[in-house]
Amino acid sequence: LSVHVELVSSLSDGSICIKANAQSCGECIQVSEICGWCTDEKFLSEGESKSARCDDVTYLKKKDCKNIEDPRGSTEITQNKDVTVRNKDGNVKLKPEEITQIQPQKLKVTLRSGEPQTFDLKFKRAEDYPIDLYYLMDLSFSMKDDLENVKNLGTDLMREMREITSDFRIGFGSFVEKTVMPYISTTPARLINPCSNNENCTSPFSYKNVLKLTSNGDRFNQLVSQQQISGNLDSPEGGFDAIMQVAVCEEQIGWRNVTRLLVFSTDAGFHFAGDGKLGGIVLPNDGKCHLENNVYSMSHYYDYPSIAHLVQKLSDHNIQTIFAVTEEFQPVYQELKNLIPKSAVGTLSSNSSNVIKLIIDAYNSLSSEVILENSKLPEGVSISYKAFCKNGVRGTEDNGRKCTNISIGDEVSFKISIESQKCPSGGKPEVITVKPLGFNEEVAIELNFICDCECAKKGEPNSPKCHGGNGIFECGACKCNEGRIGRECECSKDEVRSDDLDANCRKPNSTDICSNNGECLCGTCECKKRENPAEVYSGKYCECDNFNCDRSGNLLCGGHGRCECRKCICDTNYTGNACECSLDESTCLAKNGQLCNGRGKCECGICKCEDPKFQGPTCEVCPTCPGVCTEHKDCVQCRAFGDGEKKEMCQKECSYFNLIKVKDRKDLPQPTDQSFPLTHCKEKDANDCWFYYTYAITKNSTKEVFVVEKLDCPSGPDIIPIVAGVVAGIVLIGLALLLIWKLLMIIHDRREFAKFEKEKMNAKWDTGENPIYKSAVTTVINPKYEGK
């Protein structure tokens, strides 16, 4: 049964391969990773289509296929430099490009459709990793007091960042707004000084790169001190134009391939794509560098970038953004942070006095999190992540891309799985990258696709085996040229249904084409496929099948054979039309070791009892028979004790067993003493005496009776104790009655005497008066008299 279940399971999976109707090995292996192609030339039987070569690998082996094409994918690491163990207090100072935080660096992955390939990726934050920080500040008029606090930012921030890294550079840039109406006033006077109230302000500008990234903090302070506030008309600022230029102008800004931080400081909102229409600007931002003399020169020509465009450029250039904004605009920039990976938001005080603490806190927050992202994947390719973070924390699905709470020197790992659902058009190798957001390092993965079988390379074009050169003979079958079909490409599509060819698909003396179980293609029957792939039609005319044989126990061929062309081919030890008859006689053996207990014949592993009163699988059950003990009682009694109903005919009727006498019941044989059935009997004779015996049929069919030689008769009653007991009982009962009567009398007398005493006490006579005397005076009271 277990073998049958396993086969059905595999065939169920194999239906994916069969239903695909693959016509070549390359098509077959693209269906699923479980599909294989049989390259044996003589694998197909008559009536089977070419697509039958494509099936579940397990099932192909069961069909005795010797050569199966089943290519497998693989993963090969081509560059695997260990992550760097670095100490900032050490003597050796490594260049940024010499520091490795991600391992491995390059892989070559070979993909087969449906078969995922998995590899491990390790990430470790290196100590004393270089940092480039660019401070981008809003210089609109409302940020006047903030500028004063930023003027000494360079040296102060240098001092604080030395606690984190010994290799720190800082730069500065500023922005206001696009230099067109209605964002700024374009009157000549306002273009010179956009501020009112006699304030001295500089001309408005879009974005200005004031200081390229440098390790000289004093230079930062000097240049920032020279900056002047400008002004504009509307509240939102053109900060997105500035961020875009900072991201894409790597050379002008001086970015290195290290940790890149962009601090965006403002007290207002922002314009984004589409807002440029207000100034007549409709061209989308091109995402390119347009700095001339460190000033953005195309603000009047290109619209503001969209948020998505900005996210892409920041990610491409590994820039982590810190939004230092006032409390009023916290909600707006929090929403923006959710859209920009590896960004943080800090609350800027009204005069930017807390900017250093904000930058340090934001950097610690950003650097304690690693998030993996991948480049665009080829069509049909998918990637999944599983994270193994600190303290045993694991993440899957969306959380599988990231680990949080990572300190310097901590090592985390990811399990990355890549799967292809189909072979991309062309099947050319593709390269994708996986990298942690905000870091310049990445893993380059070369994807190679298994689009065809290895045997296809040895194919024979225009092979004679394919009907005179109408196809390529590869992988044991013909791969037909365009317009040709058939197992051997023997005819064109135009001839598929001609009457002449149909005649070759009919059995002699029959009008049915392919026995109504197939289709006539090029004069050859292509049999239909069943929903269950284990059920197939076969034969030259599809006249055979392997599922219409006789059944037994609701199982095809009783589960003890295989169905071939509607006839059961039985397994060893089974016979019958449905292989229902077992030739094994072990099931017919009775407990005494006899076939059918000597009362029947064993047919198909089942006893056929000759005596109808016996039943059961081994003819041992007799519901209508008297009990064994009752059946043999009279014969045992007459032979052992010369008594009973068969006493006169004992010699004639009771010699069918061997009688053995024993002295005591404990000497009788027990069921554990022998391997054949044994019955213990206890019977009573006419004198109410019990006799004990056992009845058994030995393995050589000899009947044996062991009997206790002495009857167990009941003894007569003892008269004297009985009489004495009766007399004693009568006397005791009489005495008891007398005592009870006497007790009742005593109680009654005491009650009467007590009653007399009570009456005596109640009788009190007055000795001063004659109780018989009555006075002659009668007093009458008038009821109306009121005493007046």
Side-chain angles (χ1 to χ4, degrees):
L1 181 59
S2 62
V3 173
H4 176 71
V5 171
E6 180 185 352
L7 177 59
V8 170
S9 174
S10 67
L11 294 180
S12 177
D13 293 337
S15 64
I16 303 172
C17 312
I18 292 177
K19 290 179 181 178
N21 197 31
Q23 297 299 307
S24 68
C25 186
E27 289 181 25
C28 179
I29 63 172
Q30 296 302 315
V31 176
S32 171
E33 77 278 7
I34 66 171
C35 300
W37 178 270
C38 183
T39 61
D40 295 353
E41 287 190 37
K42 297 182 180 180
F43 173 72
L44 298 178
S45 57
E46 230 178 348
E48 278 192 296
S49 65
K50 186 165 44 178
S51 61
R53 291 180 176 274
C54 182
D55 207 338
D56 177 80
V57 173
T58 305
Y59 189 51
L60 289 176
K61 291 178 180 178
K62 293 183 183 294
K63 291 173 69 175
D64 296 327
C65 178
K66 307 301 182 189
N67 301 294
I68 301 174
E69 264 312 297
D70 182 30
R72 297 285 103 187
S74 62
T75 300
E76 179 187 356
I77 297 175
T78 56
Q79 185 176 339
N80 193 27
K81 184 180 178 182
D82 291 337
V83 291
T84 303
V85 179
R86 185 188 188 207
N87 192 325
K88 72 175 184 178
D89 298 325
N91 295 323
V92 180
K93 295 298 182 182
L94 300 176
K95 296 178 181 179
E97 58 270 17
E98 295 175 333
I99 301 173
T100 303
Q101 297 183 111
I102 192 166
Q103 180 186 3
Q105 294 78 42
K106 289 185 179 180
L107 298 99
K108 184 177 181 181
V109 176
T110 303
L111 294 174
R112 176 181 169 182
S113 297
E115 181 189 22
Q117 294 297 318
T118 304
F119 65 92
D120 294 324
L121 183 147
K122 185 191 300 182
F123 177 83
K124 183 176 182 179
R125 275 191 62 195
E127 188 173 352
D128 195 29
Y129 195 74
I131 298 174
D132 284 355
L133 184 145
Y134 191 85
Y135 195 90
L136 182 59
M137 186 174 182
D138 177 6
L139 285 189
S140 58
F141 187 76
S142 58
M143 293 288 285
K144 181 179 179 181
D145 55 344
D146 300 81
L147 181 59
E148 294 298 321
N149 286 300
V150 175
K151 287 180 178 179
N152 295 319
L153 177 65
T155 53
D156 294 344
L157 191 56
M158 282 281 186
R159 184 172 56 253
E160 293 292 335
M161 293 300 287
R162 284 196 189 101
E163 299 296 324
I164 298 174
T165 177
S166 62
D167 189 356
F168 176 71
R169 298 198 309 168
I170 188 169
F172 184 81
S174 58
F175 67 92
V176 180
E177 186 55 276
K178 286 185 181 295
T179 55
V180 295
M181 282 289 287
Y183 311 111
I184 66 167
S185 175
T186 56
T187 60
R190 291 296 184 188
L191 283 175
I192 297 172
N193 184 1
C195 301
S196 58
N197 301 327
N198 298 320
E199 293 284 348
N200 187 20
C201 297
T202 188
S203 299
F205 57 91
S206 176
Y207 161 67
K208 186 186 299 181
N209 178 29
V210 178
L211 175 65
K212 188 176 181 179
L213 288 163
T214 177
S215 57
N216 188 345
D218 293 331
R219 178 65 176 162
F220 179 94
N221 294 348
Q222 179 186 353
L223 287 177
V224 173
S225 298
Q226 298 172 3
Q227 299 306 302
Q228 286 182 294
I229 292 295
S230 185
N232 62 312
L233 295 179
D234 60 344
S235 175
E237 313 295 2
F240 276 14
D241 271 343
I243 293 176
M244 177 62 77
Q245 293 304 301
V246 172
V248 298
C249 298
E250 288 196 355
E251 184 177 348
Q252 290 87 338
I253 302 299
W255 291 118
R256 297 178 297 171
N257 284 331
V258 296
T259 299
R260 299 175 175 181
L261 299 179
L262 170 61
V263 179
F264 182 82
S265 175
T266 185
D267 64 348
F270 48 82
H271 284 296
F272 51 87
D275 289 353
K277 291 181 180 179
L278 294 172
I281 303 172
V282 295
L283 281 178
N285 195 289
D286 64 349
K288 296 180 181 179
C289 181
H290 297 288
L291 287 185
E292 293 182 8
N293 297 321
N294 285 321
V295 176
Y296 181 36
S297 60
M298 302 296 284
S299 67
H300 64 286
Y301 191 76
Y302 289 117
D303 192 7
Y304 302 98
S306 67
I307 295 176
H309 195 184
L310 212 56
V311 169
Q312 177 195 347
K313 291 301 180 181
L314 289 171
S315 176
D316 290 345
H317 295 275
N318 303 314
I319 296 175
Q320 304 178 59
T321 311
I322 301 172
F323 296 105
V325 297
T326 55
E327 188 171 0
E328 178 186 358
F329 286 93
Q330 279 285 311
V332 175
Y333 283 91
Q334 282 290 350
E335 291 296 324
L336 183 60
K337 168 192 173 295
N338 294 335
L339 299 173
I340 301 179
K342 293 295 282 186
S343 62
V345 177
T347 304
L348 191 67
S349 62
S350 59
N351 60 2
S352 298
S353 58
N354 68 330
V355 67
I356 292 180
K357 182 178 185 303
L358 184 153
I359 292 173
I360 298 295
D361 291 344
Y363 169 74
N364 289 332
S365 173
L366 289 172
S367 61
S368 66
E369 181 180 54
V370 58
I371 303 174
L372 296 183
E373 72 163 1
N374 52 269
S375 60
K376 185 178 179 182
L377 300 171
E379 185 182 1
V381 176
S382 61
I383 189 169
S384 62
Y385 299 83
K386 186 174 182 180
F388 299 87
C389 307
K390 284 177 62 177
N391 303 321
V393 176
R394 296 189 178 187
T396 56
E397 297 181 352
D398 288 342
N399 291 327
R401 291 176 173 264
K402 63 183 179 180
C403 283
T404 57
N405 195 28
I406 301 173
S407 303
I408 292 174
D410 287 342
E411 184 176 291
V412 295
S413 62
F414 298 85
K415 190 173 285 294
I416 302 176
S417 181
I418 304 176
E419 183 176 350
S420 172
Q421 295 301 328
K422 64 178 183 178
C423 189
S425 57
K428 296 180 180 179
E430 301 269 358
V431 177
I432 64 170
T433 58
V434 175
K435 68 175 184 178
L437 284 175
F439 295 86
N440 65 302
E441 297 175 69
E442 63 184 19
V443 180
I445 306 170
E446 180 186 327
L447 299 181
N448 295 278
F449 302 93
I450 301 176
C451 297
D452 210 340
C453 300
E454 193 68 25
C455 59
K457 297 177 181 178
K458 303 175 183 177
E460 182 184 351
N462 303 319
S463 173
K465 296 180 180 179
C466 301
H467 200 264
N470 286 320
I472 303 171
F473 188 79
E474 63 177 37
C475 303
C478 286
K479 185 177 180 180
C480 297
N481 295 335
E482 187 67 28
R484 306 294 296 187
I485 59 173
R487 275 174 58 170
E488 296 178 358
C489 312
E490 60 269 27
C491 68
S492 68
K493 291 181 179 179
D494 299 333
E495 301 171 344
V496 165
R497 300 189 179 280
S498 67
D499 293 336
D500 292 339
L501 292 175
D502 286 349
N504 296 325
C505 297
R506 297 188 187 96
K507 290 175 66 176
N509 302 322
S510 174
T511 58
D512 294 332
I513 296 176
C514 299
S515 307
N516 291 327
N517 295 325
E519 187 177 9
C520 187
L521 299 177
C522 301
T524 304
C525 283
E526 291 280 349
C527 301
K528 293 178 183 177
K529 290 182 173 60
R530 302 269 297 178
E531 185 70 24
N532 183 351
E535 300 177 354
V536 295
Y537 291 106
S538 59
K540 181 179 180 181
Y541 305 105
C542 301
E543 73 279 9
C544 295
D545 62 61
N546 65 346
F547 54 88
N548 274 323
C549 291
D550 292 336
R551 294 175 178 266
S552 175
N554 203 30
L555 293 175
L556 192 68
C557 297
H560 303 300
R562 65 184 185 277
C563 181
E564 291 185 3
C565 204
R566 303 188 179 186
K567 289 185 179 181
C568 286
I569 307 299
C570 299
D571 296 339
T572 307
N573 289 333
Y574 285 93
T575 186
N577 292 335
C579 302
E580 76 283 5
C581 185
S582 173
L583 301 178
D584 185 8
E585 295 184 342
S586 61
T587 56
C588 295
L589 291 176
K591 294 179 181 179
N592 58 9
Q594 292 181 310
L595 282 176
C596 302
N597 203 26
R599 298 186 174 114
K601 294 180 179 179
C602 184
E603 296 180 2
C604 297
I606 300 174
C607 284
K608 301 292 184 183
C609 303
E610 294 174 341
D611 191 334
K613 69 179 180 179
F614 288 98
Q615 300 175 6
T618 55
C619 302
E620 291 181 287
V621 179
C622 182
T624 60
C625 294
V628 173
C629 296
T630 305
E631 181 182 0
H632 303 290
K633 168 188 172 183
D634 293 333
C635 283
V636 172
Q637 189 178 3
C638 78
R639 288 191 57 185
F641 307 106
D643 200 359
E645 294 182 4
K646 293 187 178 182
K647 178 172 62 175
E648 302 299 331
M649 300 174 290
C650 191
Q651 190 68 29
K652 181 179 179 182
E653 295 185 7
C654 300
S655 59
Y656 59 88
F657 58 84
N658 296 331
L659 183 69
I660 304 167
K661 292 185 178 182
V662 297
K663 292 184 178 181
D664 198 80
R665 288 175 60 185
K666 66 176 183 283
D667 298 328
L668 291 174
Q670 301 300 315
T672 56
D673 295 340
Q674 61 282 313
S675 58
F676 46 84
L678 179 72
T679 304
H680 276 261
C681 299
K682 176 184 177 183
E683 297 292 337
K684 185 186 288 186
D685 63 9
N687 299 320
D688 291 334
C689 292
W690 294 97
F691 57 96
Y692 302 91
Y693 65 94
T694 62
Y695 179 83
I697 301 176
T698 64
K699 288 188 176 182
N700 56 6
S701 300
T702 302
K703 300 176 178 60
E704 289 185 350
V705 174
F706 286 77
V707 63
V708 179
E709 61 184 6
K710 186 177 180 182
L711 292 168
D712 186 6
C713 297
S715 56
D718 195 347
I719 302 302
I720 295 176
I722 294 174
V723 173
V726 172
V727 173
I730 293 172
V731 172
L732 291 174
I733 291 171
L735 289 174
L737 292 174
L738 287 174
L739 290 173
I740 292 170
W741 176 80
K742 182 63 178 175
L743 179 61
L744 292 174
M745 289 298 102
I746 292 173
I747 293 170
H748 180 266
D749 291 345
R750 287 184 177 180
R751 285 182 175 177
E752 290 295 323
F753 180 75
K755 186 176 180 182
F756 170 75
E757 288 293 327
K758 183 177 180 182
E759 293 293 334
K760 181 179 176 182
M761 293 296 294
N762 290 335
K764 295 181 180 180
W765 303 96
D766 189 353
T767 56
E769 292 184 7
N770 184 352
I772 304 175
Y773 172 74
K774 290 185 178 181
S775 174
V777 179
T778 302
T779 302
V780 179
I781 299 173
N782 185 1
K784 297 292 187 179
Y785 178 67
E786 297 179 356
K788 297 180 180 179

